[in-house]
Amino acid sequence: MKKKGKKLSVLVLTLIIAFSIFITGCSSSNSTSGNSKDTTLRILVWNNNPEGTKSEREIFDQFEKDNPGIRVEMIYAPYDKFNDKFLTMSAGGDQPDLTWIQPSAFGQFVSKGVLMDLSNKKVEKDKFMPNVLKLGQVEGKQYAMIRDSSAFQVGYNKELFDKAGVSYPKDNWKWSDFLEAAKKLTKVEHGKTVQFGIENYYTNELFVQNGGGIISEDGRRVILDSPESIEAIKFGSDLINRYHVQPTSAQSQGLSNMFLSGKAAMKLMGPWDWTDITKNATFKWDVVPMPAGKAGNVSAASYLPIGIGKGTKHPEEAYKLLEFLTVGKGQDLQIDTISAIPVVKRNAEKIVSLRNAPENAKSLSKSLQEGKTVMNAPYIPEYAEIMNKVQPVIDQINLRGGNPKKDLKRISEQIRKEYNLK
């Protein structure tokens, strides 16, 4: 009897141990096969200033609260080193689960196969404002979702307009209206310009407003030497060298913000500038859409794509976070936390309630709802490299003035040969 009892005890003990191993194995298997428990998602970002980090963290905290067991860890890289950081981490087997994406590097990331193709995901397209989903697509495939999308507008100093007797600009103004106002708002004393009409005017905005660019949207043709592009660059150069309404690089040296100091009556700005302007301006100000060239009142989109690393071990959880940020509750939270412009239709009217929004903030809301923001660069791997060749040429045109046709034709032919483009 004793022997039989001993054998039974051993058998029971063996079964208990085997069952424990089985349960442990199942638990381990679940933790690595998509179960959300004890999952940490890492997202690579470039916003690492204390206030920005705190605001972003509030959104991630809410996601964690809504999704128990999933943690979100922000990792940082400087903006100018960001692309190299992501590619290096990806190549080294340490790829983040999600990453912010600089539009100029989007094509490069896709060509290197480091982003997950999201085309098979169910997306409720009617929830988004016009053109938004397209900003995350390369050759028709969805590789990123957009968290926020906005555009530059022209901010103007109402008091300087009043002193010069110039009417405030209207939402449907044109290049000719802008130039006329800039001339009247430029003041010269004793041979020195003491007040400029405009502080800055960016190349991409000039291209978009006039229907020009460097490379066509499909990435196949060089359009830098098209009549529209040449006219756009000439207009920008003339603002500096012919009409003297915009400072040269030498004149603006040492002056970080001529608009705030009252040295410039207008300035290109986005909603990301509103808080700083409100906090530091000693004058009344407002915004209007960009003036229209040949393409009408359109602006280059300024936006933040977010992608999922192709090598993530947590694809389901990563997509859950991506949805939260780009179409879910994150879209409602970001208005009050990071003052980021939402991309969903349900929040379009809330732009006017952003902290420090100017009186005419509704004009930005209208532009976004009507699809008047457009992509300003094609998603091709070589685009950033091409830009590095083109920008010095444009800088030289702005420096010395003159007719840019010859210079733009020369660099265009060079790009066609080097990159086998039409």
Side-chain angles (χ1 to χ4, degrees), residues 283-347:
F283 49 83
K284 294 180 181 180
W285 63 283
D286 208 347
V287 296
V288 287
M290 298 297 299
K294 286 182 176 178
N297 289 101
V298 295
S299 298
S302 298
Y303 54 99
L304 177 62
I306 302 178
I308 297 176
K310 191 174 183 179
T312 179
K313 296 179 180 178
H314 312 289
E316 292 181 14
E317 293 89 344
Y319 190 69
K320 187 177 289 187
L321 174 57
L322 185 62
E323 280 190 308
F324 179 89
L325 296 173
T326 60
V327 70
K329 191 183 293 186
Q331 284 287 297
D332 307 319
L333 298 174
Q334 70 184 35
I335 298 173
D336 297 321
T337 53
I338 55 178
S339 295
I341 302 298
V343 295
V344 289
K345 292 178 181 176
R346 69 177 184 270
N347 288 335

Side-chain angles (χ1 to χ4, degrees), residues 152-324:
F152 279 106
Q153 292 188 292
V154 176
Y156 64 97
N157 184 324
K158 286 186 171 184
E159 295 180 13
L160 293 183
F161 270 72
D162 291 341
K163 287 181 181 178
V166 179
S167 300
Y168 299 153
K170 299 184 183 301
D171 290 356
N172 61 346
W173 63 333
K174 300 178 180 179
W175 273 5
S176 56
D177 303 318
F178 161 77
L179 180 57
E180 198 60 34
K183 288 178 181 177
K184 293 177 180 178
L185 290 158
T186 299
K187 293 175 60 177
V188 179
E189 295 179 359
H190 308 295
K192 181 180 180 181
T193 305
V194 296
Q195 178 181 300
F196 289 92
I198 181 76
E199 177 175 343
N200 54 352
Y201 212 127
Y202 302 127
T203 301
N204 275 342
E205 297 300 322
L206 291 165
F207 279 144
V208 166
Q209 288 152 27
N210 212 49
I214 297 175
I215 306 294
S216 61
E217 189 174 314
D218 61 12
R220 297 174 182 174
R221 294 179 296 112
V222 178
I223 59 173
L224 180 60
D225 54 354
S226 68
E228 293 80 8
S229 298
I230 293 171
E231 185 178 28
I233 294 302
K234 187 174 190 310
F235 182 75
S237 174
D238 284 349
L239 294 178
I240 300 170
N241 299 293
R242 180 181 177 185
Y243 303 113
H244 309 291
V245 298
Q246 180 178 329
T248 64
S249 55
Q251 289 171 320
S252 60
Q253 193 170 8
L255 297 173
S256 59
N257 198 320
M258 302 178 76
F259 181 74
L260 274 179
S261 64
K263 301 293 184 183
M266 293 181 282
K267 173 186 173 71
L268 265 61
M269 64 174 68
W272 49 86
D273 295 309
W274 291 351
T275 297
D276 183 56
I277 300 295
T278 299
K279 180 180 178 181
N280 296 296
T282 58
F283 49 83
K284 294 180 181 180
W285 63 283
D286 208 347
V287 296
V288 287
M290 298 297 299
K294 286 182 176 178
N297 289 101
V298 295
S299 298
S302 298
Y303 54 99
L304 177 62
I306 302 178
I308 297 176
K310 191 174 183 179
T312 179
K313 296 179 180 178
H314 312 289
E316 292 181 14
E317 293 89 344
Y319 190 69
K320 187 177 289 187
L321 174 57
L322 185 62
E323 280 190 308
F324 179 89

